[in-house]
Amino acid sequence: MSIPPVLILSTGRCGSTMLTDVLNLHPRVLSVSEFFSAYQLSAFGKRRPRGDDMWRLYSVQSRRTRLALRETFHELLYPFGDPEARYTLRTVPPIMAITLPNLTDRYEELYGELEPVVRAQPRQSPADHFRQTFSWLCQRFDRSVWVERSGGSLLVAPLLVRNFPDARVIHIYRDGRDTSVSLAGHPAFRGLLAKARRIRAWGVDPVKSMPLVQRFNRLGCWMDNLADMFIDQEKLPYDAVTLADFAAFWNGLIEVGRRTFADLPSERLLNVKFEDVQAEPRRELQRIIRFISPELDDPDWLRSASAIPRPQVRSRFDELDGAEQAAIIQACRPGLELLDYPI
């Protein structure tokens, strides 16, 4: 493909879904939504899997994907309530939950078409499997470039950037104070931080150790599975997680991004401030599409896409009491300063 692939990386709850919706309108962009989110480390768990192995990853829920789907049920695109739906929440293939329905309303047919394509792929690296699959989807929908976006993808940013060394990166971010409050209301992130609190009691900080774990990914997968075996999800300390914990989590992800992006040349990295997209959608969206490729400049797309970002509303952070605000600011101050937010 002539245009390099694009990874949208973020902390989550910062406008990345909006960016997916915007790019999904573009007639030449394949907007791949939440592909890596369900798999995390396991996406790259095998060194040279076969096509059958990859199809099993896409079509059969593991313990990890089952939990992820349950926690993000309200965001899934598969119509479980439809009388003609083939799958339930426990049986839906991970790739069918969001990714395929985001591409077409004929996702059942697409799923059937994709199976023999994936199974026929040779034994190769996971990244090569993903490239081959995304390239086939681009040809299937007559698109020129694929763009993958998963919520909270900064968690695995080193892994993704290393496996796609030619990819351009769009880093979208939002004020850590507002993001922390939004993260706190999301079941998947609350579960993630409750689990991190339990692991931290074992003397390991999951966020700080993530880059090292991803460097030795097979060990990371083994540790991940081991943690799932010994942690009862129903007994996690959900209520013990504070807003300051979410702020510290956000700050840790911003630091992961800083280290990951440090060596990327300017032509491969675009930083996008969510508040700027809200204030000047036309300007920012044009900047984004030209970063992906100048040949994708499309006035009709820009006109319709600019109507999607909503104007900024009242900050939920401002509604907190003084003590909660102070705790959040203290926890995420380094990240706020790094991203030039006034404190």
Side-chain angles (χ1 to χ4, degrees), residues 191-207:
L192 180 65
L193 263 68
K195 181 178 176 181
R197 177 178 280 267
R198 181 60 54 82
I199 294 174
R200 202 172 290 117
W202 301 344
V204 178
D205 188 312
V207 174

Side-chain angles (χ1 to χ4, degrees), residues 36-42 61-71 94 192 195 199 210 220-221 223-229 231 233:
F36 291 117
S37 59
Y39 312 121
Q40 297 288 339
L41 297 178
S42 63
Q61 294 183 28
S62 66
R63 180 173 179 173
R64 170 56 52 84
T65 55
R66 187 175 300 116
L67 175 63
L69 294 176
R70 187 180 71 182
E71 290 180 331
L192 180 65
K195 181 178 176 181
I199 294 174
M210 187 61 70
C221 289
M223 293 172 62
D224 223 17
N225 292 331
L226 190 65
D228 283 342
M229 289 175 59
I231 292 178
Q233 296 291 147

Side-chain angles (χ1 to χ4, degrees), residues 196-243:
R197 177 178 280 267
R198 181 60 54 82
I199 294 174
R200 202 172 290 117
W202 301 344
V204 178
D205 188 312
V207 174
K208 290 183 179 178
S209 63
M210 187 61 70
L212 180 62
V213 167
Q214 292 176 48
R215 184 181 297 274
F216 305 99
N217 188 54
R218 285 189 294 172
L219 174 62
C221 289
W222 178 81
M223 293 172 62
D224 223 17
N225 292 331
L226 190 65
D228 283 342
M229 289 175 59
F230 285 95
I231 292 178
D232 186 343
Q233 296 291 147
E234 306 300 328
K235 296 181 180 180
L236 285 174
Y238 293 98
D239 294 338
V241 182
T242 66
L243 286 173

Side-chain angles (χ1 to χ4, degrees), residues 129-234:
H129 278 289
F130 299 139
R131 286 177 186 276
Q132 199 167 339
T133 298
F134 295 159
S135 294
W136 181 86
L137 287 170
C138 280
Q139 292 176 347
R140 169 68 170 74
F141 289 99
D142 193 22
R143 305 300 169 91
S144 302
V145 60
W146 60 263
V147 179
E148 202 284 336
R149 190 280 315 177
S150 292
S153 50
L154 278 177
L155 270 171
V156 289
L159 190 61
L160 292 174
V161 171
R162 188 170 72 247
N163 277 276
F164 298 102
D166 60 330
R168 291 191 171 104
V169 171
I170 297 175
H171 173 216
I172 184 168
Y173 57 89
R174 177 186 177 197
D175 190 313
R177 291 161 288 199
D178 291 319
T179 308
S180 300
V181 178
S182 185
L183 288 168
H186 194 280
F189 286 104
R190 181 163 287 277
L192 180 65
L193 263 68
K195 181 178 176 181
R197 177 178 280 267
R198 181 60 54 82
I199 294 174
R200 202 172 290 117
W202 301 344
V204 178
D205 188 312
V207 174
K208 290 183 179 178
S209 63
M210 187 61 70
L212 180 62
V213 167
Q214 292 176 48
R215 184 181 297 274
F216 305 99
N217 188 54
R218 285 189 294 172
L219 174 62
C221 289
W222 178 81
M223 293 172 62
D224 223 17
N225 292 331
L226 190 65
D228 283 342
M229 289 175 59
F230 285 95
I231 292 178
D232 186 343
Q233 296 291 147
E234 306 300 328

